[in-house]
Amino acid sequence: MTQVATSGTAKKEEKQPVKPTASFAGIHAEIIDALNFAEFGIAPKTQPPAQRGVLIETSRNRIVFSAHDFETSVSVTMPAATPLAQGSSLLDFPELKKTLAAMVAGETKAVAARTGVSLDGDLLATEHLTVPVTTHDIHEYTKPLDAVPAMAIMDTQTFLRQLNRVLPTAGRDDTLPVLTGIQITLDGETLTMAATDRYRFAVAEVPVTSTAMPSEKPLAALIPADTLSALAKRLKTHDSPVGIGILEDDHADGEPVANWPVARATLSLGAVTVTMRSLDGSLPKHRTLFPKTCDTSVQLDRATTVRAVKKCQAILTAKGLRSVPVVFAWDADGNLTLAPRLDTAEGTARTKGMPVPMTITHGTGEGLRGGLAAFNAGFLLDALGTFTGDTVTLHLGEMKDGQISKPGLFTEGPEMAGDGYKHLVMHVRLA
């Protein structure tokens, strides 16, 4: 008996693979540079094969390289020397990069950089070789997120310097994904970056110039620290301003999820845009966590303090002591030393710390006499290493039972508020 398919059970017509049609000619070094940026949006091997492709689109006077791994979207635009026909090719990214490198093998670096390269659909060619590159089905490719137009611009090196200050503070525990992000907040003429791993909290500010009507409220996004860390390496040689745009998922209650905009932030670097999906959630508001007042502020010689911490950390390592703090100790006369906290009371009592010059900038210092302040050595070095001046100011709360009762706040200047960078470090309670 012959079975007749009804309209409800009829097999859907399969889409035919799209023929690769992008066609252009360019210079090897420029193409490699574009692909190096596009790589930020290339998915790992565990993702669908199509997302491991770079989408190359040509039209009129430009070539656009795009990549999207569901979290990060990258678009790189190159000008075309001659008008180009409209076309697109989805080429396997790893193979394309390796093939480009292979086609200039044996050449000097200078010759390789200026070698002419052309693409015709899936055929890559130089004057010596023509080789096909594996393509992916464009029907299986998820198009990149639209870039958010720049709302403000800032000096790239200032942004990079402040970003590198907060990056070490971001969490590494994937079971707490919110803490693995850098929270960026655009508010008027200031971009604030914040990060925490529960044990320390760093905040840095970057002045910006608005390029659009400022939002009535601050705009925030939580961007994976790993993405920003990788991008930071490419910003070292970028000397033009960088633009920033943020889009929140400010949806109405009851609105279908499918209609919500994808919360994201875009960094615009001239011909390059990097759009990063925001992590779900947000960091605690640092203004509620940071102390507003302190009992005593002490200005420390930064270089001496770093040397002292490194010596104490090395002693702890030599003795096989892990998760053991280093301790600031003030004697009865108010003089400060830094010493490792050993594993026995006798060992600690017999240990003499390294003197650290200090100046009281707030308070009398009377409450510090005979007191202790203990910190994780690695966290302390991270904090000190992100400051650049000769001195750093440590703001301390009330001493209770001979120990500080709240985390220590480090700032660039003597004031607790108004500084461009702040680093809160959790104190370690001593038994």
Side-chain angles (χ1 to χ4, degrees):
M1 180 176 179
T2 304
Q3 190 174 25
V4 179
T6 63
S7 59
T9 60
K11 187 178 180 180
K12 292 183 179 179
E13 182 180 351
E14 294 184 358
K15 294 182 178 179
Q16 294 298 315
V18 176
K19 180 181 178 181
T21 55
S23 179
F24 70 86
I27 302 300
H28 193 276
E30 295 176 356
I31 296 171
I32 289 294
D33 191 54
L35 292 176
N36 284 340
F37 264 114
E39 194 164 9
F40 288 115
I42 296 298
K45 293 182 179 179
T46 55
Q47 297 284 11
Q51 297 309 125
R52 297 200 297 272
V54 57
L55 179 62
I56 303 176
E57 298 173 292
T58 56
S59 63
R60 297 184 181 178
N61 60 348
R62 67 177 190 168
I63 311 158
V64 180
F65 298 82
S66 302
H68 175 49
D69 66 359
F70 303 116
E71 302 299 330
T72 304
S73 301
V74 184
S75 175
V76 185
T77 301
M78 284 178 52
T82 57
L84 301 174
Q86 186 169 344
S88 61
S89 297
L90 184 61
L91 304 183
D92 185 81
F93 182 87
E95 183 180 325
L96 176 59
K97 280 202 72 175
K98 291 176 183 177
T99 303
L100 280 166
M103 295 180 82
V104 292
E107 306 291 355
T108 65
K109 188 175 181 179
V111 170
R114 61 175 182 265
T115 295
V117 178
S118 65
L119 177 73
D120 185 9
D122 63 345
L123 287 176
L124 197 64
T126 65
E127 63 174 318
H128 300 124
L129 295 168
T130 298
V131 181
V133 178
T134 299
T135 62
H136 295 290
D137 187 356
I138 203 167
H139 292 309
E140 303 296 326
Y141 182 68
T142 301
K143 283 291 191 77
L145 296 169
D146 290 334
V148 183
M151 301 169 177
I153 59 172
M154 52 195 164
D155 177 74
T156 300
Q157 297 310 309
T158 301
F159 168 71
L160 178 60
R161 183 168 59 252
Q162 299 295 67
L163 173 61
N164 282 332
R165 286 175 149 186
V166 300
L167 279 172
T169 314
R172 299 291 183 266
D173 186 354
D174 290 334
T175 64
L176 298 170
V178 170
L179 301 186
T180 65
I182 305 293
Q183 185 154 300
I184 58 175
T185 303
L186 186 60
D187 187 7
E189 300 298 308
T190 303
L191 179 75
T192 302
M193 293 181 284
T196 181
D197 60 2
R198 294 187 297 172
Y199 306 107
R200 55 228 173 115
F201 205 130
V203 175
E205 297 176 350
V206 182
V208 301
T209 302
S210 297
T211 57
M213 182 68 68
S215 172
E216 296 181 356
K217 65 180 184 69
L219 296 173
L222 187 61
I223 304 303
D226 285 347
T227 302
L228 289 172
S229 179
L231 184 59
K233 297 174 183 177
R234 292 303 306 265
L235 292 178
K236 293 179 180 179
T237 58
H238 188 79
D239 54 7
S240 300
V242 57
I244 177 75
I246 299 174
L247 179 65
E248 296 184 330
D249 60 347
D250 192 13
H251 59 273
D253 291 338
E255 186 179 351
V257 174
N259 293 333
W260 295 356
V262 176
R264 56 193 185 272
T266 295
L267 292 178
S268 303
L269 311 167
V272 179
T273 62
V274 181
T275 302
M276 300 155 287
R277 182 190 290 264
S278 181
L279 296 170
D280 292 333
S282 61
L283 298 185
K285 295 184 182 300
H286 67 271
R287 296 186 187 279
T288 64
L289 298 177
F290 282 27
K292 296 180 175 59
T293 60
C294 69
D295 278 29
T296 313
S297 296
V298 295
Q299 190 177 72
L300 306 174
D301 181 82
R302 191 171 69 89
T304 303
T305 308
V306 169
R307 285 169 47 226
V309 176
K310 287 182 176 180
K311 292 178 188 296
C312 293
Q313 186 182 49
I315 292 294
L316 294 174
T317 300
K319 289 182 171 290
L321 299 176
R322 297 182 178 181
S323 303
V324 177
V326 296
V327 182
F328 287 107
W330 287 266
D331 63 18
D333 296 323
N335 298 311
L336 176 63
T337 60
L338 185 70
R341 174 79 170 185
L342 301 188
D343 53 345
T344 65
E346 181 185 3
T348 297
R350 296 177 64 189
T351 300
K352 183 179 180 180
M354 176 176 169
V356 178
M358 72 163 200
T359 302
I360 302 293
T361 60
H362 173 77
T364 63
E366 289 297 323
L368 296 178
R369 296 176 186 272
L372 304 173
F375 297 98
N376 176 288
F379 293 169
L380 195 54
L381 281 178
D382 281 345
L384 294 170
T386 56
F387 290 93
T388 57
D390 293 336
T391 62
V392 62
T393 303
L394 172 59
H395 306 276
L396 297 168
E398 180 185 3
M399 286 278 183
K400 292 184 178 179
D401 300 323
Q403 297 184 46
I404 61 170
S405 57
K406 294 181 180 179
L409 177 66
F410 289 88
T411 63
E412 285 186 303
E415 302 298 327
M416 295 183 66
D419 297 315
Y421 177 62
K422 307 176 183 66
H423 196 124
L424 190 73
V425 183
M426 190 70 69
H427 72 284
V428 178
R429 193 69 183 170
L430 301 174

